[in-house]
């Protein structure tokens, strides 16, 4: 027996997440052999425990040997990716991560909170002013998309006039399956890489109080990033930090529209802002999949998997696994504990920006609750055609009322 739907098909995700298909797989075929057009095929992993197992065993499930987004990477792509930590295995990954961790300490991230609050007030205030005439505004274009972009540019110390370019490159890189964003070539990747390498060279010459300067300066152990390594890292940040947080913000708002009682709960009790971000990330699962490649023959969920096979982790499915979550299909902003895997299933690649993302989501909903308590949908959303990110392209809302 096979699932009735093809969870690989990007067009499926244009109308919403295939929850019934995921549930079927968890129940009947939790490690499911799946065909893939133009690729070698893969094993779809849909249970929470199996996703954690794969994430925590990089010695068997390699990030380096296979593509994260590309079905069947060429040798050239693999060698280009070797500097990007998302594609590295220990010990290279451990070394890279120990350098980038210097820029992502709780202290460095904590310093951004007030700035994030100002950005949220600026964006929500401008959207309120635009909507004052009574017409709807697009929550994605006006709030969810610029918020993480402004934060990431601030984090990097990139000048405000470069925001638009970084935004366009990031869209083209992630939305490659969507005709509206795809350019069909590698130009955005190369442009962003060149931009970031130049930023690194500049900070090396004139250090500032920003992350890029921290990464290019030698740490206590004498290590630092060269321009290429830094360029690749900035490229990863521009992609990983923008789309994901945008999707959490818009998907989170959609969750409140679908569950108005949770919005009323928040308006009455702001202490829920503490647990809200993790429930939003569990519920939305902004990243749909990451993939690994087996280095040895192994067993997972009762299946024998040969060496050299692709294994794809379906985070949204793991986040609705009722073996782990009580009332998994209920959106509950007070859920605690919340061992979701929206930031990855643990292990060495666990999201570097998790603290930052939680903070952005928390502060955004704090500001929305304060300034736009009557926020409401004003038309149907348009979703991205992608089996990689759970993304809303357009979301008409009314902020007043
Ligand atoms: C890795 C999700 C926000 C930077 C990841 C992974 C996931 C993820 C699923 C892969 C984990 C794995 O393979 O085990 C998310 C979600 C976000 C978010 C859902 C927002 C709600 C951010 C932000 C940044 C960021 C704001 C930085 C500014 C990264 C980086 C990695 C990563 C650099 C690679 C880590 C490594 O390979 O060691 N994220 N992320 N993410 N994320 Fe995030």
């Amino acid at each position: 027996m096979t699932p009735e739907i093809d969870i690989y098909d990007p067009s499926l995700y244009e109308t919403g997440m295939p929850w019934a298909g995921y549930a079927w797989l968890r129940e009947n075929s939790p490690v499911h052999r799946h065909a893939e057009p133009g690729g070698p095929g893969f094993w779809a992993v849909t249970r929470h425990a199996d996703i954690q197992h794969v994430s925590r065993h990089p010695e068997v499930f390699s990030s380096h040997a296979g593509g994260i987004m590309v079905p069947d990477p060429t040798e050239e792509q693999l060698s280009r990716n070797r500097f990007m930590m998302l594609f590295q295995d220990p010990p290279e990954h451990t070394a890279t991560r120990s350098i980038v961790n210097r820029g992502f300490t709780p202290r460095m991230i904590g310093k951004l909170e007030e700035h994030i609050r100002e950005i949220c007030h600026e964006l929500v205030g401008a959207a309120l002013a635009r909507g004052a005439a009574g017409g709807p505004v697009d929550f994605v274009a006006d709030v969810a998309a610029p918020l993480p972009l402004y934060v990431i540019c601030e984090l990097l110390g990139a000048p405000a006039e470069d925001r638009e370019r970084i935004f366009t490159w990031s869209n083209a890189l992630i939305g490659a399956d969507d005709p509206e964003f795809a350019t069909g070539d590698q130009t955005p990747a190369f442009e962003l890489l060149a931009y970031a390498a130049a930023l690194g060279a500049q900070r090396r010459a004139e250090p500032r109080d920003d992350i890029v300067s921290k990464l290019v300066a030698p740490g206590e152990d004498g290590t630092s990033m060269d321009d290429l390594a830094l360029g690749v890292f900035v490229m990863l940040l521009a992609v990983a930090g923008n789309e994901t947080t945008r999707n959490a913000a818009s998907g989170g708002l959609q969750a409140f529209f679908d569950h108005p009682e949770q919005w009323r709960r928040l308006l009455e009790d702001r202490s829920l802002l503490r647990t809200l971000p993790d429930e939003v990330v569990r519920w939305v699962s902004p990243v749909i999949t990451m993939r690994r490649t087996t280095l040895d023959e192994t067993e997972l969920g009762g299946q024998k998997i040969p060496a050299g096979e692709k294994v794809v982790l379906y985070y949204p499915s793991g986040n609705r696994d009722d073996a782990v979550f009580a009332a998994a299909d209920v959106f509950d902003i007070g859920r605690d504990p919340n061992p979701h895997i929206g930031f990855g299933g643990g292990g060495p690649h666990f999201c570097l920006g998790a603290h930052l993302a939680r903070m952005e989501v928390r502060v955004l909903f704090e500001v929305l609750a304060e300034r736009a308590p009557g926020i409401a949908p004003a038309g149907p959303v348009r979703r991205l055609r992608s089996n990689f990110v759970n993304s809303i392209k357009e979301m008409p809302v009314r902020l007043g009322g």
Side-chain angles (χ1 to χ4, degrees):
M1 192 168 166
T2 52
E4 268 136 47
I5 49 118
D6 172 5
I7 57 166
Y8 180 79
D9 181 2
S11 59
L12 188 72
Y13 294 81
E14 259 174 332
T15 49
M17 300 291 280
W19 298 118
Y22 289 151
W24 189 96
L25 286 164
R26 281 197 307 274
E27 184 68 26
N28 298 289
S29 184
V31 178
H32 184 81
R33 182 77 196 152
H34 205 295
E36 176 178 36
F42 62 88
W43 296 87
V45 182
T46 45
R47 282 189 185 161
H48 188 282
D50 293 333
I51 293 172
Q52 281 193 329
H53 177 86
V54 170
S55 307
R56 292 168 188 199
H57 289 89
E59 71 287 358
V60 178
F61 300 97
S62 164
S63 295
H64 179 67
I68 296 294
M69 299 154 67
V70 183
D72 195 10
T74 60
E75 279 306 311
E76 193 218 323
Q77 281 167 329
L78 279 179
S79 86
R80 206 170 51 228
N81 289 340
R82 76 183 190 280
F83 290 115
M84 192 181 268
M85 66 178 173
L86 202 51
F87 298 87
Q88 289 176 333
D89 291 332
E92 288 79 13
H93 176 267
T94 321
T96 312
R97 183 95 188 202
S98 84
I99 295 180
V100 301
N101 279 345
R102 290 175 203 157
F104 281 78
T105 58
R107 197 189 61 84
M108 285 287 283
I109 299 305
K111 280 202 313 193
L112 288 171
E113 176 158 350
E114 264 323 295
H115 190 75
I116 291 174
R117 192 164 283 110
E118 277 166 27
I119 293 175
C120 288
H121 274 289
E122 181 192 322
L123 294 171
V124 172
L128 275 165
R130 212 164 303 138
V137 298
D138 178 6
F139 184 74
V140 175
D142 288 348
V143 181
L147 165 65
L149 176 77
Y150 289 6
V151 173
I152 203 89
C153 290
E154 177 69 20
L155 199 89
L156 294 173
E161 64 265 25
D162 291 345
R163 283 172 177 169
E164 277 311 308
R165 286 199 285 167
I166 296 176
F167 192 46
T168 308
W169 291 326
S170 157
N171 268 336
L173 285 170
I174 284 274
D177 278 335
D178 192 288
E180 198 169 316
F181 292 124
T183 58
D185 64 28
Q186 296 289 316
T187 312
F190 286 122
E191 283 176 347
L192 184 53
L193 190 67
Y195 172 85
L199 196 67
Q202 194 193 16
R203 292 298 188 278
R204 200 186 302 280
E206 293 169 47
R208 292 195 201 164
D209 183 24
D210 59 28
I211 287 194
V212 174
S213 305
K214 268 205 155 42
L215 302 183
V216 295
E220 276 170 23
D221 59 359
T223 57
S224 65
M225 282 183 158
D226 63 24
D227 285 350
L228 180 59
L230 177 84
V232 175
F233 176 62
V234 170
M235 183 163 140
L236 174 60
L237 276 193
V239 175
N242 273 323
E243 293 275 345
T244 48
T245 315
R246 172 205 311 191
N247 299 343
S250 55
L253 184 60
Q254 183 64 48
F256 279 115
F257 287 165
D258 294 341
H259 303 86
E261 79 291 350
Q262 294 295 314
W263 184 243
R264 283 193 296 275
R265 226 180 133 194
L266 176 65
L267 294 182
E268 278 158 25
D269 179 4
R270 301 298 161 86
S271 73
L272 289 162
L273 285 165
R274 184 181 67 80
T275 45
L276 176 155
D278 280 305
E279 181 64 347
V280 162
V281 173
R282 181 188 80 90
W283 189 255
V284 177
S285 293
V287 177
I288 299 174
T289 60
M290 287 282 163
R291 65 170 66 196
R292 305 288 196 263
T293 302
T294 50
L295 296 177
D296 290 314
E297 184 184 281
T298 188
E299 201 175 305
L300 185 68
Q303 285 281 3
K304 262 212 162 44
I305 304 181
E309 296 272 298
K310 309 294 170 198
V311 172
V312 178
L313 310 177
Y314 280 87
Y315 300 121
S317 174
N319 279 337
R320 299 286 177 100
D321 189 339
D322 53 19
V324 175
F325 300 100
D329 290 322
V330 173
F331 178 58
D332 170 8
I333 58 169
R335 190 181 287 277
D336 188 18
N338 191 342
H340 71 84
I341 49 175
F343 292 120
H349 292 281
F350 184 80
C351 177
L352 178 72
H355 286 313
L356 179 62
R358 284 192 190 99
M359 188 189 282
E360 290 182 58
V361 171
R362 172 168 57 77
V363 174
L364 173 63
F365 283 101
E366 171 201 304
V367 170
L368 281 174
E370 185 187 324
R371 306 221 17 212
I375 190 166
V381 300
R382 283 202 309 132
R383 294 175 48 82
L384 188 73
R385 181 181 186 277
S386 168
N387 56 15
F388 181 59
V389 282
N390 180 11
S391 184
I392 294 175
K393 278 199 286 204
E394 192 184 351
M395 187 176 195
V397 298
R398 271 179 232 287
L399 286 122

